[in-house]
Amino acid sequence: MAGSESMSTNEVAQEMADLKTKYGKYCKVISHTGGTYIVDIMPCDLQDVGFKFPVPCNYPAVIPQIIIKSSTMTALDKEQLLKHLTSVADGLQGSVMINNLVEAARAWIEQRNSEKGADATAQSRKPESKKAKNKKIKKTKKIKEDVTDEKKPSMKTAEDVISRILWDDNLPSDAFVVGYIDRFLGILEKSFTAFSWEDLASVDYNVLAVPKHRIQYFKYKDVTVWDKTQRLDNVFGSTGSKLTILDVMGKYEDELARKGLNEVANNEGEDYDDDSDSDDDITVTIGTVSENYNADSDDDATEDSFWTDKLRPNHFIAVRITNSDVVSAVTDMQDAILEVEPRYAPCIIPGGALHVTLCVLRLDSPEQVSNASRMLQSIQSELKALISSGITLQLEGVDTFFKRVLYAKVHCEQNFLDFVDHLKMCISQEGLEIKDAHEFVPHMTLMKTTRPVSRLMGTKNIDPSLYECFHSLEFGRQNIESIHLCSMAESRQEDGFYLTPASVNLQ
């Protein structure tokens, strides 16, 4: 029996790998503990039709749930297609079947389109009565009198914009904001990633979702790129602006660079001269642009080092990664990268230094370091109260900052964000300088490029092929048991972690 279960598990894992190989970027596979998966497939040849398969742990003995996503199919067509796919799945029960279901859906859609096309052709061939011809002539004359010489172009819908953001790898979904009408509060704004974009009928009550007709606009960061009431479409350029979202993103970054708002290079100090494993001078990066920072410049010797250092943080407060399973998973992933490209060895963050940064500080004197340490000890009871019910961070999936820093995504509850906000408030009240310039992005850095390695490689960017297979990797969980005030100096403790002027036990 155990051997049968193991064989089934291996078959399912192989099926997931095969799906990602076949459909590429049009397939997303998310794995969960316990052997469950969520598979999203949007075949490029089926236009806006996509499929979501929540796969149970006892699959394929039990068939997966089938969810059809489409804004163009009628409710009746969806119902009939779902009935057809369920019948196919029942016949395949006991064998892996997801690819077969997608192919069955493709064949069904093609047949239905063919039938509809034939019906439309037959209808068009029916002879027109004289009365109908006269009516059509009158209607045509009226239309010509009423419309202007220049007809307004058709505007892409909110559904089109959503699909583009979900499936275009060039668009960072967490950089988009949705403006929508709340029936009681009026127009509200929330991050695009805060919503579930599957069919409303399939989401739970505790999941944030919104009917598409209530969406009023989309923003890229703080720039409106699609507005229903203003007939603005700078995502596709469908209303005649001749601008697309890639144009908007490029202009946005160029404008920031022109105004000298390159916070990563100037204020947060993404230091390519620093070959250490500290990543904490770039902890918050949403809304910033670093593409114009010349990591290959040799002009650093001419800079006033005193004022350059004054702009950079030199301490940070963090949660140390102590879960050995997480450290082991990170090490295995790093080893896999180095097997392909060993020249990145100096860029790897050692297992003993792994952490999740809460905020970065500029402490210019031993007195300020002492004040920060004393402050942390004085608020220990407050911080304990905030996490009395416990806070667990889920580390799953990878992403990059500007393609130069590879990190593990940290998934957290609101109580963790409240904890960080309270911590920052206490630091500010103490008169200490927080160097966070933008929205908090919880993450655990895995590797970052350095200046010497960038020169050796001939590029500042990490090759996506090295990490794309880890997009759904589950590293594990980390409980918040303590926080540490850490120095960004090159020296380390014997166990490999940063020098810590202060540590606060929260258990």
Side-chain angles (χ1 to χ4, degrees), residues 8-25:
S8 176
T9 301
N10 293 335
E11 287 177 350
V12 173
Q14 184 60 49
E15 179 189 28
M16 299 303 152
D18 292 342
L19 289 172
K20 288 191 284 188
T21 299
K22 178 174 181 177
Y23 295 100
K25 67 178 181 179

Side-chain angles (χ1 to χ4, degrees), residues 5-23 27 29 31 35 37 39 41 55 59-60 95-100:
E5 291 179 357
S6 175
M7 184 179 297
S8 176
T9 301
N10 293 335
E11 287 177 350
V12 173
Q14 184 60 49
E15 179 189 28
M16 299 303 152
D18 292 342
L19 289 172
K20 288 191 284 188
T21 299
K22 178 174 181 177
Y23 295 100
C27 174
V29 177
S31 61
Y37 295 87
V39 182
I41 299 177
V55 179
Y59 168 83
S95 304
V96 293
M97 64 184 74
I98 292 179
N99 184 61
N100 290 336

Side-chain angles (χ1 to χ4, degrees), residues 299-346:
D299 296 332
D300 297 283
T302 65
E303 295 178 353
D304 187 326
S305 60
F306 175 80
W307 290 110
T308 299
D309 289 341
K310 281 288 185 182
L311 292 172
R312 292 174 177 164
N314 56 9
H315 288 77
F316 62 98
I317 298 176
V319 174
R320 184 177 184 180
I321 302 300
T322 57
N323 185 334
S324 59
D325 291 336
V326 174
V327 176
S328 177
V330 169
T331 303
D332 289 344
M333 191 210 74
Q334 292 171 333
D335 289 344
I337 290 177
L338 294 181
E339 285 182 9
V340 179
E341 186 45 81
R343 289 179 292 180
Y344 276 126

Side-chain angles (χ1 to χ4, degrees), residues 147-162:
V147 300
T148 58
D149 292 335
E150 186 176 351
K151 183 180 179 181
K152 290 183 178 180
S154 177
M155 180 177 175
K156 291 285 188 178
T157 65
E159 181 73 26
D160 295 324
V161 178
I162 292 167

Side-chain angles (χ1 to χ4, degrees), residues 211-462:
K212 308 300 186 297
H213 66 270
R214 290 192 189 166
I215 296 175
Q216 299 300 296
Y217 57 83
F218 292 88
K219 288 182 178 180
Y220 172 71
K221 298 183 179 178
D222 57 353
V223 178
T224 302
V225 294
W226 185 94
D227 189 306
K228 180 164 63 175
T229 58
Q230 301 296 323
R231 281 188 52 82
L232 171 70
D233 176 17
N234 288 341
V235 177
F236 299 94
S238 65
T239 56
S241 68
K242 298 183 180 179
L243 283 177
T244 67
I245 186 59
L246 297 181
D247 297 326
V248 173
M249 292 167 63
K251 288 187 177 182
Y252 185 94
E253 295 179 358
D254 291 344
E255 183 66 15
L256 283 184
R258 186 184 67 79
K259 292 180 178 179
L261 296 181
N262 189 338
E263 297 288 350
V264 172
N266 296 333
N267 289 347
E268 294 176 21
E270 185 176 355
D271 189 355
Y272 283 87
D273 284 330
D274 178 12
D275 295 335
S276 73
D277 50 36
S278 173
D279 67 290
D280 300 285
D281 45 356
I282 52 169
T283 54
V284 282
T285 57
I286 282 185
T288 66
V289 179
S290 66
E291 296 303 323
N292 290 329
Y293 177 48
N294 186 356
D296 297 325
S297 172
D298 290 320
D299 296 332
D300 297 283
T302 65
E303 295 178 353
D304 187 326
S305 60
F306 175 80
W307 290 110
T308 299
D309 289 341
K310 281 288 185 182
L311 292 172
R312 292 174 177 164
N314 56 9
H315 288 77
F316 62 98
I317 298 176
V319 174
R320 184 177 184 180
I321 302 300
T322 57
N323 185 334
S324 59
D325 291 336
V326 174
V327 176
S328 177
V330 169
T331 303
D332 289 344
M333 191 210 74
Q334 292 171 333
D335 289 344
I337 290 177
L338 294 181
E339 285 182 9
V340 179
E341 186 45 81
R343 289 179 292 180
Y344 276 126
C347 306
I348 294 297
I349 305 299
L354 293 171
H355 61 277
V356 175
T357 302
L358 307 181
C359 64
V360 293
L361 308 170
R362 177 71 200 180
L363 305 177
D364 285 318
S365 66
E367 181 182 6
Q368 287 187 345
V369 175
S370 177
N371 289 343
S373 302
R374 186 175 61 253
M375 179 274 302
L376 288 175
Q377 298 296 340
S378 69
I379 64 171
Q380 181 181 29
S381 59
E382 299 177 37
L383 298 179
K384 276 187 175 182
L386 284 172
I387 64 169
S388 58
S389 59
I391 295 180
T392 300
L393 305 179
Q394 174 70 30
L395 297 106
E396 180 180 343
V398 299
D399 205 343
T400 66
F401 290 133
F402 308 110
K403 301 180 182 179
R404 303 177 189 178
V405 177
L406 179 66
Y407 66 88
K409 297 179 181 179
V410 175
H411 305 271
C412 58
E413 302 293 338
Q414 183 60 43
N415 58 350
F416 174 65
L417 302 179
D418 295 340
F419 175 84
V420 175
D421 287 342
H422 185 80
L423 174 64
K424 291 182 179 181
M425 180 190 71
C426 294
I427 294 172
S428 298
Q429 289 177 345
E430 187 67 22
L432 300 173
E433 185 179 6
I434 298 177
K435 297 299 291 184
D436 297 349
H438 299 282
E439 183 180 347
F440 178 53
V441 182
H443 69 280
M444 176 182 68
T445 296
L446 306 170
M447 64 178 287
K448 72 165 187 172
T449 57
T450 61
R451 179 186 293 235
V453 172
S454 295
R455 286 174 173 166
L456 182 64
M457 301 289 293
T459 176
K460 294 171 281 188
N461 299 337
I462 302 172

Side-chain angles (χ1 to χ4, degrees), residues 95-147:
S95 304
V96 293
M97 64 184 74
I98 292 179
N99 184 61
N100 290 336
L101 293 178
V102 175
E103 292 301 326
R106 177 183 281 108
W108 188 93
I109 292 171
E110 289 176 353
Q111 181 179 352
R112 177 52 58 93
N113 289 341
S114 177
E115 291 173 354
K116 288 184 176 180
D119 291 343
T121 301
Q123 185 68 25
S124 65
R125 288 175 178 172
K126 288 184 180 180
E128 247 184 338
S129 66
K130 186 174 182 181
K131 183 177 180 181
K133 287 183 179 180
N134 292 335
K135 188 175 181 180
K136 183 184 288 187
I137 292 171
K138 290 180 180 179
K139 186 176 180 180
T140 303
K141 287 182 178 179
K142 180 172 177 57
I143 291 174
K144 288 182 177 180
E145 291 171 357
D146 290 345
V147 300

